[in-house]
Amino acid sequence: MDNNTSKTFSNIASGVRLDVFLNEQLTDFSRSRLKQLVESGSIFVNGKAATKAGQTLKQGDEITITMPPDQASTLVPINIPLDIVYEDKYIAVINKPQGLTVHPSPTSSEPTLINALLFHLKSLSSVGGVMRPGIVHRLDKNTSGLMVVAKTDTAHNSLSEQLANREIKRQYIALVKGNPKFDTKTVDTYITRDKKDRTKFKATSLPKDAKHAITHITVLDRFDAGSRNHPSHYALLQANLQTGRTHQIRVHLSYLNLHIVGDKEYGVKLSKTREAFYSAYNIKGQLLHSAFIEFAHPITNKLLSFTAPLPDYFQDFLTHISHPKN
């Protein structure tokens, strides 16, 4: 089904959910895309706009889908250097640098990863809309590492389904300030927006207006980079995502009182001395790196795995705290 078209269905079985019916009829659409269509008022049940994707249908109901018109894209290709780890006709795997925002936002006019993708790749999927072509999942601006990008709509829908079914494996490396009292730990909470700061999120035990979030954490190494009188503990962690919520790892580590080095949003306020110390090692954001990703190729179903080494500034800081000069 193309944009700028309308289609009506009347072969409705009683008791079926609207989203289940739509998923069966529109096989080229991801579940998230179908939900977007409902939320945008593009799905009608008996002439009235549907309000819930999970509403129950009854025999005799008539479903009409009116695709919204295409929007004109204002995005332009920009020659921003990209580390393309893998590419074929359907997907690309990118090692995103720290400091590069993934997609445009109303509050920023800075170049984004999408501008770079438009320059370097011949095609990008349209499932995410004109402002987020090809973007299946995202990384925070100051988080570096691996992302998979969809070049066709079919690939995008397959990858989105794998994400929804928790079939894509993602491992992150983080350096935190502190000495964890565990070697391995699973953080299982809900995550909701922080009412005091709507740009941030927080962990909560209450499911209301929150999303379930699970992170599996392993301590890889511990560092005692200070002196007896001025101890300074760090820990290198591996975080495996079971769910993928916005800022999930940063929120969960902050919840454990383990703040990622360089994280200005979820970290603690730094003294001028420590701020200068981090600056000397070119730390401009959180030391959080998407180091590993594994998924089934959306067309061939072949299992693909990719790794990305730590950025130089991250490795340099690790070397310093492993062998402190003072």
Side-chain angles (χ1 to χ4, degrees):
M1 185 173 180
D2 299 323
N3 283 0
N4 305 312
T5 63
S6 180
K7 192 169 185 177
T8 299
F9 300 91
S10 56
N11 55 326
I12 313 297
S14 183
V16 69
R17 283 169 53 114
L18 175 60
D19 52 1
V20 173
F21 176 79
L22 294 173
N23 193 51
E24 291 174 348
Q25 299 297 325
L26 303 176
T27 56
D28 289 338
F29 285 58
S30 67
R31 284 183 292 185
S32 60
R33 176 60 172 150
L34 292 173
K35 184 180 179 181
Q36 289 173 359
L37 289 175
V38 172
E39 292 175 346
S40 66
S42 300
I43 309 295
F44 296 84
V45 180
N46 301 325
K48 295 183 179 180
T51 57
K52 294 183 179 180
Q55 75 178 74
T56 302
L57 303 175
K58 59 182 182 296
Q59 190 172 8
D61 281 347
E62 186 174 84
I63 310 300
T64 302
I65 304 170
T66 302
M67 296 297 295
D70 287 330
Q71 294 176 298
S73 175
T74 57
L75 298 172
V76 296
I78 299 177
N79 186 10
I80 302 170
L82 274 188
D83 180 6
I84 301 175
V85 177
Y86 172 85
E87 183 185 2
D88 61 24
K89 293 190 299 183
Y90 308 101
I91 62 171
V93 177
I94 309 298
N95 182 14
K96 187 189 83 68
Q98 185 184 71
L100 183 62
T101 302
V102 170
H103 54 70
S105 74
T107 58
S108 175
S109 59
E110 65 183 7
T112 67
L113 175 65
I114 290 179
N115 296 112
L117 292 174
L118 289 170
F119 182 90
H120 291 282
L121 305 183
K122 293 183 179 179
S123 62
L124 290 170
S125 69
S126 61
V127 173
V130 294
M131 298 306 289
R132 299 186 182 187
I135 302 302
V136 179
H137 64 112
R138 59 183 291 275
L139 295 176
D140 296 334
K141 176 181 177 178
N142 285 321
T143 298
S144 59
L146 296 170
M147 289 179 57
V148 59
V149 173
K151 299 176 69 175
T152 70
D153 288 357
T154 300
H156 194 132
N157 290 331
S158 173
L159 291 168
S160 293
E161 289 296 317
Q162 290 184 56
L163 270 178
N165 295 331
R166 302 179 181 178
E167 296 168 348
I168 295 181
K169 294 181 180 179
R170 289 172 287 169
Q171 292 180 357
Y172 291 72
I173 303 296
L175 184 70
V176 298
K177 187 73 170 60
N179 190 10
K181 297 179 180 180
F182 58 84
D183 291 324
T184 62
K185 189 177 186 67
T186 294
V187 186
D188 187 341
T189 73
Y190 291 87
I191 287 181
T192 186
R193 282 198 181 273
D194 190 332
K195 292 181 180 179
K196 296 180 181 178
D197 184 346
R198 299 294 294 175
T199 65
K200 296 172 60 177
F201 294 80
K202 66 177 183 179
T204 176
S205 59
L206 302 175
K208 184 180 180 181
D209 299 324
K211 295 181 178 180
H212 195 197
I214 302 173
T215 309
H216 305 285
I217 302 169
T218 301
V219 178
L220 299 177
D221 207 349
R222 300 173 191 268
F223 307 92
D224 182 0
S227 63
R228 180 180 300 177
N229 296 325
H230 299 90
S232 186
H233 298 287
Y234 296 90
L236 188 67
L237 308 180
Q238 175 180 292
N240 289 23
L241 289 178
Q242 184 168 324
T243 58
R245 308 305 181 194
T246 303
H247 299 180
Q248 178 173 318
I249 295 173
R250 300 164 68 193
V251 170
H252 272 170
L253 290 176
S254 179
Y255 174 73
L256 297 176
N257 201 30
L258 296 170
H259 304 286
I260 302 176
V261 172
D263 193 339
K264 297 178 181 179
E265 286 75 33
Y266 294 95
V268 294
K269 187 175 181 179
L270 300 177
S271 66
K272 291 184 178 180
T273 300
R274 186 158 298 277
E275 191 170 346
F277 173 52
Y278 288 167
S279 180
Y281 284 89
N282 201 31
I283 296 175
K284 299 177 180 178
Q286 62 266 11
L287 294 188
L288 178 63
H289 179 67
S290 174
F292 174 85
I293 190 168
E294 182 177 86
F295 56 91
H297 190 282
I299 306 302
T300 67
N301 207 37
K302 179 182 177 181
L303 191 64
L304 300 177
S305 301
F306 302 95
T307 58
L310 294 176
D312 290 344
Y313 58 86
F314 197 149
Q315 188 59 58
D316 288 346
F317 191 75
L318 280 181
T319 300
H320 171 75
I321 61 175
S322 300
H323 307 285
K325 296 178 181 179
N326 298 318

